Amino acid sequence: MKKVFALIFCISLFVSCKNDTKTNSVEEEQAASKSYDQNDGLITLKGDFIYDESQNAAVIQTANSIYGVVIDDNMKALNEKVKAYKKESTDMVPVTVRAKRFAKPEGEEGWPFRLEIKETIKVEAPNPEQNDVIKIEN
């Protein structure tokens, strides 16, 4: 009888141990999938983000396009998240955002489309093996 009780205790102990990090990642994936599926006129973009405070300019570069980013509170919040992954101010960081895309105003310089970020879905660490930066030193 003691062996059966010990066996049941061990099995229940093993089954009751959970890894909470899995639950968090599942919740994040569910939130991201909700964002992708919404039919609210926004688009979901994955690209490299950079913000230059001295020029007051922000850009998201996707595989096919480059977009100027509207400087607002959502962009600044994204920039704060991105800072944790930057080694230098010129580093571009992979992000996934939901944004409103619109044509640039007439008479202004820049890329043909602008993005107004509405939601930050994910910020990722840059690939350390991707070394396509050219540095010019005096």
Tab-separated table of all heavy atoms in Angstrom, residues 16-74:
chain	number	residue	atom	x	y	z
A	16	SER	N	2.108	18.095	-11.618
A	16	SER	CA	1.762	19.433	-11.144
A	16	SER	C	2.852	20.461	-11.394
A	16	SER	O	2.597	21.653	-11.358
A	16	SER	CB	1.426	19.399	-9.654
A	16	SER	OG	2.584	19.064	-8.901
A	17	CYS	N	4.071	20.026	-11.670
A	17	CYS	CA	5.151	20.973	-11.966
A	17	CYS	C	4.962	21.502	-13.380
A	17	CYS	O	4.899	20.754	-14.331
A	17	CYS	CB	6.522	20.293	-11.854
A	17	CYS	SG	6.936	19.824	-10.179
A	18	LYS	N	4.883	22.821	-13.499
A	18	LYS	CA	4.706	23.443	-14.802
A	18	LYS	C	5.820	24.447	-15.015
A	18	LYS	O	6.404	24.969	-14.087
A	18	LYS	CB	3.380	24.194	-14.877
A	18	LYS	CG	2.176	23.347	-15.008
A	18	LYS	CD	1.037	24.171	-15.510
A	18	LYS	CE	-0.004	24.358	-14.449
A	18	LYS	NZ	-1.142	25.123	-14.898
A	19	ASN	N	6.023	24.752	-16.256
A	19	ASN	CA	6.976	25.784	-16.614
A	19	ASN	C	6.171	27.002	-17.042
A	19	ASN	O	5.571	27.023	-18.103
A	19	ASN	CB	7.886	25.305	-17.749
A	19	ASN	CG	9.009	26.258	-18.011
A	19	ASN	OD1	9.052	27.350	-17.463
A	19	ASN	ND2	9.922	25.848	-18.869
A	20	ASP	N	6.138	28.045	-16.205
A	20	ASP	CA	5.307	29.219	-16.468
A	20	ASP	C	5.772	30.021	-17.676
A	20	ASP	O	4.995	30.752	-18.265
A	20	ASP	CB	5.265	30.130	-15.241
A	20	ASP	CG	4.451	29.512	-14.106
A	20	ASP	OD1	3.606	28.650	-14.418
A	20	ASP	OD2	4.660	29.894	-12.947
A	21	THR	N	7.030	29.892	-18.069
A	21	THR	CA	7.499	30.655	-19.228
A	21	THR	C	6.798	30.198	-20.496
A	21	THR	O	6.596	30.991	-21.402
A	21	THR	CB	9.022	30.525	-19.395
A	21	THR	OG1	9.351	29.148	-19.527
A	21	THR	CG2	9.752	31.132	-18.215
A	22	LYS	N	6.425	28.949	-20.571
A	22	LYS	CA	5.684	28.474	-21.740
A	22	LYS	C	4.331	29.151	-21.820
A	22	LYS	O	3.875	29.517	-22.884
A	22	LYS	CB	5.504	26.955	-21.694
A	22	LYS	CG	6.780	26.184	-21.921
A	22	LYS	CD	6.515	24.706	-21.890
A	22	LYS	CE	7.789	23.910	-22.052
A	22	LYS	NZ	7.559	22.484	-21.929
A	23	THR	N	3.685	29.321	-20.680
A	23	THR	CA	2.385	29.971	-20.654
A	23	THR	C	2.503	31.407	-21.139
A	23	THR	O	1.681	31.873	-21.912
A	23	THR	CB	1.811	29.949	-19.221
A	23	THR	OG1	1.792	28.598	-18.757
A	23	THR	CG2	0.416	30.517	-19.182
A	24	ASN	N	3.544	32.111	-20.714
A	24	ASN	CA	3.714	33.497	-21.139
A	24	ASN	C	3.934	33.592	-22.641
A	24	ASN	O	3.394	34.464	-23.294
A	24	ASN	CB	4.893	34.143	-20.403
A	24	ASN	CG	4.587	34.345	-18.927
A	24	ASN	OD1	3.435	34.380	-18.532
A	24	ASN	ND2	5.621	34.472	-18.122
A	25	SER	N	4.752	32.702	-23.203
A	25	SER	CA	5.002	32.772	-24.634
A	25	SER	C	3.743	32.433	-25.431
A	25	SER	O	3.502	33.007	-26.485
A	25	SER	CB	6.157	31.855	-25.039
A	25	SER	OG	5.825	30.510	-24.811
A	26	VAL	N	2.936	31.517	-24.917
A	26	VAL	CA	1.678	31.181	-25.586
A	26	VAL	C	0.747	32.387	-25.565
A	26	VAL	O	0.108	32.712	-26.570
A	26	VAL	CB	1.019	29.956	-24.919
A	26	VAL	CG1	-0.402	29.766	-25.409
A	26	VAL	CG2	1.845	28.713	-25.170
A	27	GLU	N	0.693	33.089	-24.428
A	27	GLU	CA	-0.155	34.280	-24.332
A	27	GLU	C	0.313	35.356	-25.302
A	27	GLU	O	-0.498	36.027	-25.933
A	27	GLU	CB	-0.146	34.818	-22.902
A	27	GLU	CG	-0.883	33.930	-21.922
A	27	GLU	CD	-0.695	34.368	-20.481
A	27	GLU	OE1	0.047	35.349	-20.239
A	27	GLU	OE2	-1.281	33.728	-19.601
A	28	GLU	N	1.637	35.538	-25.438
A	28	GLU	CA	2.167	36.525	-26.369
A	28	GLU	C	1.827	36.162	-27.803
A	28	GLU	O	1.465	37.022	-28.600
A	28	GLU	CB	3.685	36.646	-26.215
A	28	GLU	CG	4.117	37.307	-24.935
A	28	GLU	CD	5.613	37.288	-24.748
A	28	GLU	OE1	6.330	36.802	-25.657
A	28	GLU	OE2	6.074	37.751	-23.702
A	29	GLU	N	1.925	34.878	-28.151
A	29	GLU	CA	1.594	34.444	-29.503
A	29	GLU	C	0.118	34.654	-29.801
A	29	GLU	O	-0.251	35.046	-30.903
A	29	GLU	CB	1.959	32.974	-29.694
A	29	GLU	CG	3.448	32.735	-29.780
A	29	GLU	CD	3.794	31.269	-29.899
A	29	GLU	OE1	2.894	30.453	-30.203
A	29	GLU	OE2	4.965	30.935	-29.686
A	30	GLN	N	-0.747	34.390	-28.803
A	30	GLN	CA	-2.174	34.597	-29.003
A	30	GLN	C	-2.476	36.076	-29.216
A	30	GLN	O	-3.271	36.441	-30.078
A	30	GLN	CB	-2.973	34.055	-27.823
A	30	GLN	CG	-2.991	32.548	-27.760
A	30	GLN	CD	-3.668	32.028	-26.498
A	30	GLN	OE1	-3.896	32.769	-25.555
A	30	GLN	NE2	-3.978	30.740	-26.494
A	31	ALA	N	-1.828	36.945	-28.445
A	31	ALA	CA	-2.039	38.383	-28.607
A	31	ALA	C	-1.559	38.842	-29.981
A	31	ALA	O	-2.208	39.657	-30.635
A	31	ALA	CB	-1.309	39.152	-27.511
A	32	ALA	N	-0.425	38.305	-30.421
A	32	ALA	CA	0.091	38.672	-31.744
A	32	ALA	C	-0.841	38.194	-32.843
A	32	ALA	O	-1.095	38.916	-33.801
A	32	ALA	CB	1.486	38.096	-31.939
A	33	SER	N	-1.376	36.972	-32.714
A	33	SER	CA	-2.259	36.467	-33.760
A	33	SER	C	-3.556	37.265	-33.803
A	33	SER	O	-4.116	37.481	-34.862
A	33	SER	CB	-2.543	34.981	-33.569
A	33	SER	OG	-3.314	34.768	-32.403
A	34	LYS	N	-4.034	37.733	-32.651
A	34	LYS	CA	-5.218	38.589	-32.661
A	34	LYS	C	-4.925	39.862	-33.436
A	34	LYS	O	-5.745	40.350	-34.189
A	34	LYS	CB	-5.630	38.949	-31.227
A	34	LYS	CG	-6.283	37.837	-30.473
A	34	LYS	CD	-6.646	38.298	-29.081
A	34	LYS	CE	-7.122	37.154	-28.218
A	34	LYS	NZ	-7.382	37.587	-26.842
A	35	SER	N	-3.739	40.420	-33.235
A	35	SER	CA	-3.370	41.655	-33.915
A	35	SER	C	-3.282	41.451	-35.420
A	35	SER	O	-3.650	42.317	-36.193
A	35	SER	CB	-2.023	42.168	-33.402
A	35	SER	OG	-2.139	42.525	-32.055
A	36	TYR	N	-2.752	40.316	-35.863
A	36	TYR	CA	-2.632	40.048	-37.292
A	36	TYR	C	-4.004	39.912	-37.946
A	36	TYR	O	-4.192	40.301	-39.083
A	36	TYR	CB	-1.855	38.748	-37.541
A	36	TYR	CG	-0.370	38.860	-37.351
A	36	TYR	CD1	0.258	38.250	-36.278
A	36	TYR	CD2	0.420	39.548	-38.255
A	36	TYR	CE1	1.628	38.336	-36.114
A	36	TYR	CE2	1.787	39.645	-38.100
A	36	TYR	CZ	2.382	39.033	-37.027
A	36	TYR	OH	3.731	39.124	-36.863
A	37	ASP	N	-4.963	39.351	-37.218
A	37	ASP	CA	-6.249	39.019	-37.808
A	37	ASP	C	-7.280	40.142	-37.751
A	37	ASP	O	-8.341	40.018	-38.329
A	37	ASP	CB	-6.838	37.779	-37.101
A	37	ASP	CG	-5.959	36.559	-37.295
A	37	ASP	OD1	-5.175	36.541	-38.264
A	37	ASP	OD2	-6.042	35.628	-36.478
A	38	GLN	N	-6.996	41.216	-37.063
A	38	GLN	CA	-7.972	42.283	-36.930
A	38	GLN	C	-8.236	42.926	-38.286
A	38	GLN	O	-7.342	43.079	-39.101
A	38	GLN	CB	-7.480	43.347	-35.955
A	38	GLN	CG	-7.427	42.852	-34.532
A	38	GLN	CD	-6.854	43.909	-33.599
A	38	GLN	OE1	-6.536	45.008	-34.022
A	38	GLN	NE2	-6.737	43.567	-32.336
A	39	ASN	N	-9.476	43.292	-38.499
A	39	ASN	CA	-9.860	43.958	-39.744
A	39	ASN	C	-10.190	45.412	-39.416
A	39	ASN	O	-11.328	45.828	-39.439
A	39	ASN	CB	-11.059	43.248	-40.360
A	39	ASN	CG	-11.354	43.771	-41.746
A	39	ASN	OD1	-10.548	44.477	-42.328
A	39	ASN	ND2	-12.519	43.439	-42.261
A	40	ASP	N	-9.131	46.185	-39.092
A	40	ASP	CA	-9.336	47.555	-38.646
A	40	ASP	C	-8.639	48.579	-39.537
A	40	ASP	O	-8.472	49.727	-39.170
A	40	ASP	CB	-8.872	47.725	-37.205
A	40	ASP	CG	-7.447	47.265	-36.987
A	40	ASP	OD1	-6.774	46.915	-37.982
A	40	ASP	OD2	-6.995	47.230	-35.828
A	41	GLY	N	-8.208	48.166	-40.730
A	41	GLY	CA	-7.573	49.087	-41.652
A	41	GLY	C	-6.083	49.259	-41.424
A	41	GLY	O	-5.437	49.999	-42.157
A	42	LEU	N	-5.534	48.612	-40.409
A	42	LEU	CA	-4.105	48.697	-40.144
A	42	LEU	C	-3.397	47.529	-40.817
A	42	LEU	O	-3.996	46.500	-41.090
A	42	LEU	CB	-3.838	48.671	-38.638
A	42	LEU	CG	-4.509	49.757	-37.814
A	42	LEU	CD1	-4.196	49.567	-36.338
A	42	LEU	CD2	-4.092	51.129	-38.274
A	43	ILE	N	-2.102	47.715	-41.071
A	43	ILE	CA	-1.309	46.631	-41.641
A	43	ILE	C	-0.272	46.194	-40.617
A	43	ILE	O	0.131	46.975	-39.756
A	43	ILE	CB	-0.624	47.058	-42.962
A	43	ILE	CG1	0.305	48.257	-42.733
A	43	ILE	CG2	-1.651	47.358	-44.026
A	43	ILE	CD1	1.161	48.602	-43.931
A	44	THR	N	0.128	44.947	-40.715
A	44	THR	CA	1.169	44.417	-39.851
A	44	THR	C	2.446	44.322	-40.661
A	44	THR	O	2.457	43.746	-41.743
A	44	THR	CB	0.777	43.025	-39.313
A	44	THR	OG1	-0.465	43.147	-38.618
A	44	THR	CG2	1.837	42.493	-38.368
A	45	LEU	N	3.508	44.927	-40.143
A	45	LEU	CA	4.788	44.967	-40.836
A	45	LEU	C	5.885	44.420	-39.945
A	45	LEU	O	5.917	44.703	-38.749
A	45	LEU	CB	5.172	46.399	-41.197
A	45	LEU	CG	4.411	47.070	-42.300
A	45	LEU	CD1	4.739	48.547	-42.330
A	45	LEU	CD2	4.785	46.455	-43.623
A	46	LYS	N	6.787	43.675	-40.577
A	46	LYS	CA	7.988	43.232	-39.887
A	46	LYS	C	9.165	43.832	-40.647
A	46	LYS	O	9.274	43.674	-41.857
A	46	LYS	CB	8.091	41.716	-39.875
A	46	LYS	CG	9.317	41.231	-39.145
A	46	LYS	CD	9.330	39.736	-38.995
A	46	LYS	CE	10.576	39.364	-38.209
A	46	LYS	NZ	10.542	38.010	-37.754
A	47	GLY	N	10.015	44.553	-39.921
A	47	GLY	CA	11.153	45.193	-40.563
A	47	GLY	C	12.148	45.687	-39.537
A	47	GLY	O	11.991	45.464	-38.338
A	48	ASP	N	13.162	46.363	-40.013
A	48	ASP	CA	14.206	46.907	-39.157
A	48	ASP	C	13.902	48.370	-38.874
A	48	ASP	O	13.654	49.152	-39.791
A	48	ASP	CB	15.572	46.778	-39.825
A	48	ASP	CG	15.980	45.325	-39.998
A	48	ASP	OD1	15.615	44.506	-39.137
A	48	ASP	OD2	16.656	45.003	-40.987
A	49	PHE	N	13.953	48.731	-37.596
A	49	PHE	CA	13.595	50.081	-37.150
A	49	PHE	C	14.832	50.832	-36.689
A	49	PHE	O	15.707	50.266	-36.031
A	49	PHE	CB	12.604	49.982	-35.985
A	49	PHE	CG	12.285	51.300	-35.341
A	49	PHE	CD1	11.382	52.164	-35.927
A	49	PHE	CD2	12.887	51.670	-34.147
A	49	PHE	CE1	11.084	53.384	-35.327
A	49	PHE	CE2	12.593	52.879	-33.548
A	49	PHE	CZ	11.689	53.737	-34.142
A	50	ILE	N	14.883	52.117	-37.022
A	50	ILE	CA	15.932	53.005	-36.527
A	50	ILE	C	15.332	54.391	-36.336
A	50	ILE	O	14.488	54.829	-37.124
A	50	ILE	CB	17.155	53.057	-37.469
A	50	ILE	CG1	18.288	53.858	-36.823
A	50	ILE	CG2	16.786	53.609	-38.817
A	50	ILE	CD1	19.607	53.737	-37.543
A	51	TYR	N	15.782	55.055	-35.263
A	51	TYR	CA	15.362	56.421	-34.982
A	51	TYR	C	16.606	57.234	-34.689
A	51	TYR	O	17.417	56.888	-33.836
A	51	TYR	CB	14.413	56.459	-33.788
A	51	TYR	CG	14.055	57.855	-33.327
A	51	TYR	CD1	13.467	58.768	-34.190
A	51	TYR	CD2	14.282	58.246	-32.016
A	51	TYR	CE1	13.125	60.037	-33.769
A	51	TYR	CE2	13.933	59.515	-31.583
A	51	TYR	CZ	13.359	60.408	-32.453
A	51	TYR	OH	13.019	61.665	-32.045
A	52	ASP	N	16.777	58.325	-35.418
A	52	ASP	CA	17.910	59.222	-35.224
A	52	ASP	C	17.383	60.499	-34.565
A	52	ASP	O	16.697	61.299	-35.209
A	52	ASP	CB	18.569	59.532	-36.570
A	52	ASP	CG	19.808	60.394	-36.435
A	52	ASP	OD1	20.218	60.693	-35.284
A	52	ASP	OD2	20.381	60.771	-37.475
A	53	GLU	N	17.701	60.651	-33.281
A	53	GLU	CA	17.196	61.804	-32.539
A	53	GLU	C	17.767	63.115	-33.062
A	53	GLU	O	17.077	64.133	-33.064
A	53	GLU	CB	17.510	61.643	-31.051
A	53	GLU	CG	16.718	60.520	-30.412
A	53	GLU	CD	16.977	60.385	-28.934
A	53	GLU	OE1	17.058	61.423	-28.241
A	53	GLU	OE2	17.101	59.248	-28.465
A	54	SER	N	19.022	63.105	-33.511
A	54	SER	CA	19.626	64.349	-33.991
A	54	SER	C	18.944	64.853	-35.266
A	54	SER	O	18.819	66.060	-35.473
A	54	SER	CB	21.122	64.159	-34.234
A	54	SER	OG	21.343	63.233	-35.281
A	55	GLN	N	18.497	63.940	-36.102
A	55	GLN	CA	17.799	64.322	-37.338
A	55	GLN	C	16.280	64.326	-37.159
A	55	GLN	O	15.557	64.720	-38.065
A	55	GLN	CB	18.155	63.341	-38.467
A	55	GLN	CG	19.620	63.316	-38.813
A	55	GLN	CD	20.070	64.598	-39.469
A	55	GLN	OE1	19.350	65.175	-40.272
A	55	GLN	NE2	21.258	65.054	-39.124
A	56	ASN	N	15.813	63.820	-36.013
A	56	ASN	CA	14.386	63.670	-35.729
A	56	ASN	C	13.691	62.915	-36.869
A	56	ASN	O	12.690	63.345	-37.421
A	56	ASN	CB	13.723	65.021	-35.488
A	56	ASN	CG	12.409	64.877	-34.743
A	56	ASN	OD1	12.251	63.973	-33.933
A	56	ASN	ND2	11.467	65.757	-35.013
A	57	ALA	N	14.300	61.761	-37.207
A	57	ALA	CA	13.775	60.939	-38.303
A	57	ALA	C	13.761	59.477	-37.881
A	57	ALA	O	14.699	58.996	-37.246
A	57	ALA	CB	14.645	61.109	-39.536
A	58	ALA	N	12.685	58.782	-38.238
A	58	ALA	CA	12.554	57.361	-37.948
A	58	ALA	C	12.182	56.635	-39.231
A	58	ALA	O	11.449	57.160	-40.066
A	58	ALA	CB	11.492	57.118	-36.883
A	59	VAL	N	12.710	55.405	-39.358
A	59	VAL	CA	12.508	54.628	-40.570
A	59	VAL	C	12.275	53.172	-40.197
A	59	VAL	O	12.878	52.657	-39.253
A	59	VAL	CB	13.748	54.726	-41.491
A	59	VAL	CG1	13.652	53.794	-42.667
A	59	VAL	CG2	13.946	56.145	-41.965
A	60	ILE	N	11.392	52.513	-40.933
A	60	ILE	CA	11.256	51.059	-40.876
A	60	ILE	C	11.549	50.543	-42.272
A	60	ILE	O	10.923	50.964	-43.247
A	60	ILE	CB	9.858	50.612	-40.418
A	60	ILE	CG1	9.661	50.956	-38.948
A	60	ILE	CG2	9.680	49.108	-40.643
A	60	ILE	CD1	8.348	50.502	-38.359
A	61	GLN	N	12.515	49.629	-42.352
A	61	GLN	CA	12.894	49.026	-43.627
A	61	GLN	C	12.427	47.580	-43.629
A	61	GLN	O	12.852	46.781	-42.813
A	61	GLN	CB	14.404	49.081	-43.813
A	61	GLN	CG	14.863	48.436	-45.094
A	61	GLN	CD	16.376	48.492	-45.255
A	61	GLN	OE1	17.074	49.116	-44.475
A	61	GLN	NE2	16.866	47.826	-46.272
A	62	THR	N	11.533	47.247	-44.568
A	62	THR	CA	11.080	45.869	-44.734
A	62	THR	C	11.910	45.236	-45.836
A	62	THR	O	12.807	45.866	-46.384
A	62	THR	CB	9.585	45.819	-45.097
A	62	THR	OG1	9.398	46.416	-46.376
A	62	THR	CG2	8.730	46.533	-44.059
A	63	ALA	N	11.583	44.013	-46.192
A	63	ALA	CA	12.314	43.326	-47.251
A	63	ALA	C	12.134	44.024	-48.595
A	63	ALA	O	13.019	43.984	-49.445
A	63	ALA	CB	11.853	41.879	-47.349
A	64	ASN	N	10.981	44.703	-48.797
A	64	ASN	CA	10.674	45.295	-50.092
A	64	ASN	C	10.615	46.809	-50.121
A	64	ASN	O	10.651	47.398	-51.191
A	64	ASN	CB	9.322	44.770	-50.592
A	64	ASN	CG	9.317	43.273	-50.714
A	64	ASN	OD1	10.322	42.673	-51.048
A	64	ASN	ND2	8.180	42.665	-50.430
A	65	SER	N	10.456	47.453	-48.962
A	65	SER	CA	10.210	48.895	-48.946
A	65	SER	C	10.877	49.569	-47.754
A	65	SER	O	11.275	48.914	-46.802
A	65	SER	CB	8.710	49.176	-48.858
A	65	SER	OG	8.035	48.596	-49.928
A	66	ILE	N	10.927	50.877	-47.846
A	66	ILE	CA	11.363	51.701	-46.726
A	66	ILE	C	10.253	52.703	-46.454
A	66	ILE	O	9.711	53.320	-47.381
A	66	ILE	CB	12.674	52.445	-47.054
A	66	ILE	CG1	13.793	51.443	-47.293
A	66	ILE	CG2	13.043	53.389	-45.914
A	66	ILE	CD1	15.114	52.072	-47.674
A	67	TYR	N	9.903	52.850	-45.182
A	67	TYR	CA	8.832	53.750	-44.780
A	67	TYR	C	9.361	54.780	-43.797
A	67	TYR	O	10.079	54.435	-42.853
A	67	TYR	CB	7.697	52.980	-44.091
A	67	TYR	CG	7.043	51.934	-44.955
A	67	TYR	CD1	7.443	50.609	-44.900
A	67	TYR	CD2	6.014	52.281	-45.810
A	67	TYR	CE1	6.834	49.646	-45.692
A	67	TYR	CE2	5.393	51.321	-46.601
A	67	TYR	CZ	5.812	50.006	-46.532
A	67	TYR	OH	5.211	49.066	-47.317
A	68	GLY	N	8.974	56.026	-43.991
A	68	GLY	CA	9.199	57.037	-42.972
A	68	GLY	C	8.175	56.817	-41.868
A	68	GLY	O	7.039	56.434	-42.139
A	69	VAL	N	8.562	57.051	-40.627
A	69	VAL	CA	7.664	56.809	-39.500
A	69	VAL	C	7.279	58.145	-38.874
A	69	VAL	O	8.133	59.012	-38.663
A	69	VAL	CB	8.334	55.899	-38.442
A	69	VAL	CG1	7.412	55.674	-37.256
A	69	VAL	CG2	8.728	54.565	-39.061
A	70	VAL	N	5.996	58.302	-38.586
A	70	VAL	CA	5.489	59.502	-37.934
A	70	VAL	C	6.026	59.526	-36.501
A	70	VAL	O	5.931	58.535	-35.775
A	70	VAL	CB	3.943	59.515	-37.932
A	70	VAL	CG1	3.405	60.682	-37.134
A	70	VAL	CG2	3.419	59.539	-39.358
A	71	ILE	N	6.604	60.672	-36.112
A	71	ILE	CA	7.140	60.818	-34.764
A	71	ILE	C	5.985	61.169	-33.831
A	71	ILE	O	5.419	62.260	-33.903
A	71	ILE	CB	8.214	61.940	-34.706
A	71	ILE	CG1	9.259	61.765	-35.804
A	71	ILE	CG2	8.832	62.008	-33.317
A	71	ILE	CD1	10.114	60.544	-35.701
A	72	ASP	N	5.611	60.217	-32.964
A	72	ASP	CA	4.557	60.437	-31.985
A	72	ASP	C	4.853	59.593	-30.750
A	72	ASP	O	5.934	59.008	-30.633
A	72	ASP	CB	3.171	60.129	-32.576
A	72	ASP	CG	3.009	58.681	-33.019
A	72	ASP	OD1	3.941	57.872	-32.825
A	72	ASP	OD2	1.950	58.353	-33.567
A	73	ASP	N	3.909	59.518	-29.826
A	73	ASP	CA	4.139	58.789	-28.575
A	73	ASP	C	4.347	57.294	-28.802
A	73	ASP	O	5.161	56.672	-28.131
A	73	ASP	CB	2.977	59.010	-27.604
A	73	ASP	CG	2.922	60.442	-27.086
A	73	ASP	OD1	3.978	61.117	-27.121
A	73	ASP	OD2	1.841	60.874	-26.654
A	74	ASN	N	3.624	56.693	-29.751
A	74	ASN	CA	3.786	55.264	-30.028
A	74	ASN	C	5.173	54.968	-30.600
A	74	ASN	O	5.792	53.963	-30.262
A	74	ASN	CB	2.707	54.771	-30.992
A	74	ASN	CG	1.347	54.715	-30.354
A	74	ASN	OD1	1.225	54.554	-29.147
A	74	ASN	ND2	0.314	54.868	-31.151
